[in-house]
Coordinates of all heavy atoms in Angstrom, one line a residue:
Y362 N 53.9 85.1 121.9 CA 54.9 86.1 121.6 C 55.5 85.9 120.2 O 56.0 84.8 119.9 CB 56.0 86.1 122.7 CG 57.0 87.2 122.5 CD1 56.7 88.5 122.8 CD2 58.3 86.9 122.1 CE1 57.6 89.5 122.6 CE2 59.2 87.9 121.9 CZ 58.9 89.2 122.2 OH 59.8 90.2 122.0
T363 N 55.4 86.9 119.4 CA 55.9 86.8 118.0 C 57.2 87.7 117.8 O 57.6 87.9 116.7 CB 54.8 87.2 117.0 OG1 54.5 88.6 117.2 CG2 53.6 86.3 117.1
G364 N 57.8 88.2 118.8 CA 59.0 89.0 118.6 C 58.6 90.5 118.5 O 57.4 90.9 118.5
N365 N 59.6 91.3 118.4 CA 59.3 92.8 118.3 C 59.5 93.3 116.9 O 59.2 94.5 116.6 CB 60.2 93.6 119.3 CG 61.6 93.4 119.1 OD1 62.1 93.1 117.9 ND2 62.4 93.6 120.1
H366 N 60.0 92.5 116.0 CA 60.2 92.9 114.6 C 60.9 94.2 114.3 O 60.7 94.9 113.4 CB 58.8 93.0 113.9 CG 58.0 91.7 114.0 ND1 58.3 90.6 113.3 CD2 57.0 91.4 114.9 CE1 57.4 89.6 113.7 NE2 56.7 90.1 114.6
R367 N 61.9 94.4 115.2 CA 62.8 95.6 115.0 C 64.1 95.1 114.3 O 64.5 94.0 114.5 CB 63.1 96.2 116.4 CG 61.9 96.8 117.0 CD 62.3 97.4 118.3 NE 61.0 97.8 119.0 CZ 61.0 98.1 120.3 NH1 62.1 98.1 121.0 NH2 59.8 98.4 120.8
P368 N 64.7 95.9 113.5 CA 65.9 95.5 112.8 C 67.2 95.5 113.6 O 68.2 95.3 113.1 CB 66.0 96.6 111.7 CG 65.4 97.8 112.2 CD 64.3 97.3 113.2
L369 N 67.1 95.7 114.9 CA 68.3 95.7 115.7 C 68.6 94.3 116.2 O 67.7 93.5 116.5 CB 68.1 96.7 116.9 CG 67.7 98.1 116.6 CD1 67.4 98.9 117.8 CD2 68.7 98.8 115.8
A370 N 69.9 94.0 116.4 CA 70.3 92.7 116.9 C 71.6 92.8 117.6 O 72.3 93.8 117.5 CB 70.4 91.8 115.7
F371 N 71.9 91.7 118.3 CA 73.2 91.6 118.8 C 73.7 90.2 118.5 O 73.0 89.3 118.3 CB 73.3 91.9 120.3 CG 72.6 90.8 121.2 CD1 73.3 89.7 121.6 CD2 71.2 90.9 121.4 CE1 72.6 88.8 122.4 CE2 70.6 90.0 122.2 CZ 71.3 88.9 122.7
L372 N 75.0 90.0 118.5 CA 75.7 88.8 118.2 C 76.8 88.6 119.2 O 77.7 89.5 119.2 CB 76.2 88.7 116.8 CG 77.0 87.5 116.4 CD1 76.1 86.2 116.4 CD2 77.6 87.7 115.0
G373 N 76.8 87.6 120.0 CA 77.9 87.3 120.9 C 78.8 86.2 120.3 O 78.3 85.3 119.8
A374 N 80.1 86.4 120.3 CA 81.0 85.5 119.7 C 82.2 85.3 120.6 O 82.7 86.3 121.2 CB 81.4 85.9 118.4
L375 N 82.7 84.1 120.7 CA 83.9 83.8 121.5 C 84.7 82.7 120.8 O 84.1 81.8 120.3 CB 83.4 83.3 122.9 CG 84.5 82.9 123.9 CD1 85.3 84.1 124.3 CD2 83.9 82.2 125.1
G376 N 86.0 82.9 120.8 CA 86.8 81.8 120.2 C 88.0 82.4 119.5 O 88.3 83.6 119.5
A377 N 88.8 81.5 119.0 CA 90.1 81.9 118.3 C 89.8 82.8 117.2 O 88.9 82.5 116.4 CB 90.8 80.7 117.8
G378 N 90.5 83.9 117.1 CA 90.3 84.8 116.0 C 89.2 85.9 116.2 O 89.2 86.9 115.5
V379 N 88.4 85.8 117.3 CA 87.4 86.8 117.5 C 88.1 87.9 118.3 O 88.7 87.7 119.3 CB 86.2 86.3 118.3 CG1 85.2 87.4 118.7 CG2 85.5 85.2 117.6
A380 N 88.0 89.2 117.8 CA 88.6 90.3 118.4 C 87.9 90.6 119.8 O 86.7 90.8 119.8 CB 88.6 91.5 117.5
A381 N 88.7 90.7 120.8 CA 88.1 91.1 122.1 C 87.4 92.4 122.1 O 88.0 93.4 121.6 CB 89.2 91.0 123.2
G382 N 86.2 92.5 122.5 CA 85.5 93.8 122.6 C 85.1 94.3 121.2 O 84.7 95.5 121.1
A383 N 85.1 93.5 120.2 CA 84.8 93.9 118.8 C 83.3 94.3 118.8 O 82.5 93.7 119.4 CB 85.0 92.8 117.8
R384 N 83.0 95.4 118.1 CA 81.6 95.9 117.9 C 81.4 96.1 116.5 O 82.2 96.6 115.7 CB 81.4 97.2 118.7 CG 81.6 97.1 120.2 CD 81.3 98.4 120.8 NE 80.0 99.0 120.5 CZ 78.9 98.8 121.2 NH1 79.0 98.1 122.4 NH2 77.7 99.3 120.9
I385 N 80.2 95.7 116.0 CA 79.8 95.9 114.7 C 78.8 97.0 114.6 O 77.7 96.9 115.1 CB 79.2 94.6 114.1 CG1 80.2 93.5 114.1 CG2 78.7 94.9 112.6 CD1 79.7 92.2 113.6
E386 N 79.3 98.2 114.2 CA 78.4 99.4 114.2 C 77.6 99.4 112.9 O 78.1 99.0 111.8 CB 79.2 100.7 114.3 CG 80.0 100.8 115.6 CD 79.2 100.9 116.8 OE1 78.0 101.3 116.7 OE2 79.7 100.5 117.9
G387 N 76.4 99.8 113.0 CA 75.5 99.9 111.8 C 75.0 98.5 111.3 O 74.6 98.4 110.2
G388 N 75.1 97.5 112.1 CA 74.6 96.2 111.8 C 73.1 96.1 111.8 O 72.4 97.0 112.2
D389 N 72.6 95.0 111.2 CA 71.2 94.8 111.1 C 70.9 93.4 111.4 O 71.8 92.5 111.2 CB 70.8 95.1 109.7 CG 69.3 95.1 109.4 OD1 68.8 94.0 109.3 OD2 68.7 96.2 109.4
I390 N 69.8 93.0 111.9 CA 69.4 91.7 112.2 C 69.6 90.7 111.0 O 70.0 89.6 111.1 CB 68.0 91.6 112.7 CG1 67.6 90.2 113.2 CG2 66.9 91.9 111.7 CD1 67.9 90.0 114.7
R391 N 69.5 91.3 109.8 CA 69.6 90.5 108.6 C 71.1 90.1 108.3 O 71.4 89.3 107.5 CB 69.0 91.2 107.4 CG 67.5 91.3 107.5 CD 66.9 92.2 106.5 NE 67.3 93.6 106.8 CZ 66.8 94.7 106.3 NH1 65.8 94.6 105.4 NH2 67.2 95.9 106.7
D392 N 72.0 90.8 109.0 CA 73.4 90.5 108.9 C 73.9 89.2 109.6 O 74.9 88.6 109.3 CB 74.3 91.7 109.4 CG 74.1 92.9 108.6 OD1 73.6 92.9 107.4 OD2 74.4 94.0 109.1
V393 N 73.1 88.9 110.6 CA 73.5 87.7 111.5 C 73.5 86.4 110.7 O 74.6 85.7 110.7 CB 72.6 87.6 112.7 CG1 72.9 86.3 113.5 CG2 72.7 88.8 113.6
P394 N 72.5 86.0 109.9 CA 72.6 84.8 109.2 C 73.7 84.8 108.1 O 74.4 83.8 108.0 CB 71.2 84.6 108.5 CG 70.3 85.5 109.2 CD 71.2 86.6 109.8
A395 N 73.9 85.9 107.4 CA 74.9 86.0 106.4 C 76.3 85.8 107.0 O 77.2 85.2 106.5 CB 74.8 87.3 105.6
T396 N 76.5 86.4 108.2 CA 77.8 86.4 108.9 C 78.1 85.0 109.4 O 79.2 84.4 109.3 CB 77.8 87.4 110.1 OG1 77.6 88.7 109.5 CG2 79.1 87.3 110.8
V397 N 77.1 84.3 110.0 CA 77.2 82.9 110.5 C 77.6 82.0 109.3 O 78.5 81.2 109.4 CB 76.0 82.5 111.3 CG1 76.0 81.0 111.6 CG2 75.8 83.3 112.6
L398 N 76.8 82.1 108.2 CA 77.1 81.3 107.1 C 78.6 81.5 106.6 O 79.3 80.6 106.2 CB 76.1 81.5 105.9 CG 74.7 81.0 106.2 CD1 73.8 81.4 105.1 CD2 74.8 79.5 106.3
A399 N 79.0 82.8 106.5 CA 80.4 83.1 106.1 C 81.4 82.4 107.0 O 82.4 81.9 106.5 CB 80.6 84.6 106.0
L400 N 81.2 82.5 108.3 CA 82.1 81.9 109.3 C 82.1 80.4 109.1 O 83.2 79.7 109.4 CB 81.7 82.2 110.7 CG 81.9 83.6 111.1 CD1 81.2 83.9 112.4 CD2 83.4 84.0 111.2
L401 N 81.1 79.8 108.6 CA 81.0 78.3 108.3 C 81.5 78.0 106.9 O 81.6 76.8 106.5 CB 79.6 77.8 108.5 CG 79.0 77.9 109.9 CD1 77.5 77.5 109.9 CD2 79.8 76.9 110.8
G402 N 81.9 79.0 106.1 CA 82.4 78.8 104.8 C 81.3 78.5 103.7 O 81.6 78.0 102.7
V403 N 80.1 79.0 104.0 CA 79.0 78.7 103.1 C 78.5 80.1 102.5 O 78.4 81.0 103.3 CB 77.8 78.1 103.9 CG1 76.6 77.9 103.0 CG2 78.2 76.8 104.5
D404 N 78.4 80.1 101.2 CA 77.9 81.4 100.6 C 76.4 81.5 100.9 O 75.6 80.5 100.7 CB 78.1 81.3 99.1 CG 79.6 81.4 98.7 OD1 80.3 82.0 99.4 OD2 79.9 80.8 97.6
P405 N 76.0 82.7 101.3 CA 74.6 82.9 101.5 C 73.8 82.8 100.2 O 74.3 83.2 99.2 CB 74.5 84.3 102.2 CG 75.7 85.0 101.7 CD 76.7 83.9 101.5
P406 N 72.5 82.4 100.3 CA 71.6 82.4 99.1 C 71.5 83.8 98.5 O 71.6 84.8 99.3 CB 70.3 81.9 99.6 CG 70.6 81.2 100.9 CD 71.8 81.9 101.5
A407 N 71.3 83.9 97.3 CA 71.2 85.2 96.6 C 70.1 86.1 97.1 O 70.2 87.3 97.1 CB 71.0 85.0 95.1
H408 N 69.0 85.5 97.7 CA 67.9 86.3 98.2 C 68.2 86.9 99.6 O 67.4 87.7 100.1 CB 66.6 85.4 98.2 CG 66.7 84.4 99.3 ND1 67.2 83.1 99.0 CD2 66.2 84.3 100.5 CE1 67.1 82.4 100.1 NE2 66.5 83.1 101.0
F409 N 69.3 86.6 100.2 CA 69.6 87.2 101.5 C 69.8 88.7 101.4 O 70.5 89.1 100.5 CB 70.8 86.5 102.1 CG 70.6 85.3 103.0 CD1 69.6 84.5 102.8 CD2 71.4 85.1 104.1 CE1 69.4 83.4 103.6 CE2 71.2 84.0 104.9 CZ 70.2 83.1 104.7
E410 N 69.2 89.4 102.3 CA 69.3 90.9 102.3 C 70.5 91.3 103.2 O 71.0 92.4 103.0 CB 68.0 91.5 102.8 CG 66.9 91.3 101.8 CD 65.6 92.0 102.3 OE1 65.7 92.9 103.2 OE2 64.5 91.5 101.9
G411 N 70.9 90.5 104.1 CA 71.9 90.9 105.1 C 73.3 90.8 104.4 O 73.5 90.2 103.4
R412 N 74.3 91.5 105.1 CA 75.7 91.5 104.7 C 76.5 90.7 105.6 O 76.3 90.7 106.8 CB 76.2 93.0 104.7 CG 75.4 93.9 103.7 CD 76.0 95.3 103.8 NE 75.8 95.9 105.1 CZ 76.6 96.7 105.7 NH1 77.7 97.2 105.0 NH2 76.4 97.2 106.9
E413 N 77.5 90.1 105.1 CA 78.5 89.3 105.8 C 79.4 90.3 106.5 O 79.9 91.2 105.9 CB 79.2 88.4 104.9 CG 80.3 87.6 105.5 CD 81.7 88.3 105.2 OE1 82.0 88.7 104.1 OE2 82.4 88.4 106.2
R414 N 79.5 90.2 107.9 CA 80.3 91.1 108.6 C 81.5 90.5 109.4 O 81.9 91.0 110.4 CB 79.4 91.8 109.7 CG 78.1 92.4 109.1 CD 78.4 93.6 108.2 NE 79.0 94.7 108.9 CZ 78.4 95.7 109.4 NH1 77.1 95.9 109.3 NH2 79.1 96.7 110.1
T415 N 82.1 89.5 108.8 CA 83.2 88.8 109.5 C 84.4 89.7 109.7 O 85.1 89.6 110.8 CB 83.6 87.5 108.8 OG1 84.0 87.8 107.5 CG2 82.6 86.5 108.9
R416 N 84.7 90.6 108.8 CA 85.9 91.4 108.9 C 85.7 92.4 110.1 O 86.7 92.9 110.6 CB 86.1 92.2 107.6 CG 86.5 91.2 106.5 CD 87.5 91.9 105.5 NE 87.8 90.9 104.5 CZ 88.9 90.2 104.5 NH1 89.7 90.3 105.5 NH2 89.2 89.3 103.6
D417 N 84.5 92.7 110.4 CA 84.2 93.6 111.6 C 84.3 92.8 112.9 O 84.5 93.5 114.0 CB 82.8 94.2 111.5 CG 82.6 95.1 110.3 OD1 83.6 95.7 109.8 OD2 81.5 95.1 109.8
L418 N 84.2 91.5 112.9 CA 84.1 90.7 114.1 C 85.5 90.1 114.4 O 85.7 89.9 115.6 CB 83.1 89.6 113.9 CG 82.8 88.6 115.0 CD1 82.2 89.4 116.2 CD2 81.8 87.6 114.5
L419 N 86.3 89.7 113.5 CA 87.5 88.9 113.7 C 88.7 89.8 113.8 O 88.8 90.9 113.3 CB 87.6 87.9 112.6 CG 86.5 86.9 112.4 CD1 86.7 86.1 111.2 CD2 86.3 86.1 113.7
H420 N 89.8 89.2 114.4 CA 91.1 89.9 114.4 C 91.6 90.1 113.0 O 91.4 89.3 112.1 CB 92.1 89.0 115.1 CG 92.1 89.0 116.6 ND1 92.3 90.1 117.3 CD2 91.7 88.0 117.4 CE1 92.2 89.8 118.6 NE2 91.8 88.5 118.7
R421 N 92.3 91.2 112.7 CA 92.8 91.5 111.4 C 93.7 90.4 110.9 O 93.6 89.9 109.8 CB 93.6 92.8 111.4 CG 94.1 93.2 110.0 CD 94.8 94.5 110.1 NE 94.0 95.6 110.6 CZ 93.1 96.3 109.9 NH1 92.9 96.0 108.7 NH2 92.4 97.2 110.5
S422 N 94.5 89.8 111.8 CA 95.5 88.8 111.4 C 94.7 87.5 111.0 O 95.2 86.8 110.1 CB 96.5 88.4 112.5 OG 95.8 88.0 113.7
F423 N 93.6 87.2 111.6 CA 92.8 86.1 111.2 C 92.1 86.2 109.9 O 92.2 85.4 109.0 CB 91.7 85.8 112.3 CG 91.0 84.5 112.1 CD1 91.5 83.3 112.5 CD2 89.7 84.6 111.5 CE1 90.8 82.2 112.3 CE2 89.0 83.4 111.3 CZ 89.6 82.2 111.7
T424 N 91.6 87.4 109.6 CA 90.9 87.7 108.3 C 91.9 87.7 107.2 O 91.6 87.4 106.0 CB 90.1 88.9 108.3 OG1 90.9 90.1 108.7 CG2 88.9 88.8 109.3
E425 N 93.2 88.2 107.4 CA 94.2 88.2 106.4 C 94.6 86.8 106.0 O 94.9 86.6 104.8 CB 95.4 89.0 106.8 CG 95.1 90.5 106.9 CD 96.2 91.3 107.6 OE1 97.2 90.7 108.0 OE2 96.1 92.5 107.6
A426 N 94.5 85.9 106.9 CA 94.8 84.5 106.6 C 93.7 83.8 105.8 O 94.0 82.7 105.2 CB 95.2 83.7 107.9
V427 N 92.5 84.3 105.9 CA 91.4 83.6 105.3 C 91.3 83.9 103.8 O 91.7 84.8 103.2 CB 90.1 84.0 106.0 CG1 88.9 83.5 105.2 CG2 90.1 83.5 107.4

């Protein structure tokens, strides 16, 4: 099995600062690595095509503190 190669993805997150029931509309599978790296405080490489989506995922009060 090599996967389905579709650009759709989901990301489950739980923890302090994660907005309950948050949904990221218009996301893409390529956004997942960029978002995870951003949450870890690491800048994604220049060749990454995905966008960092932490502001869509986290509580507003948490992102304002970052």
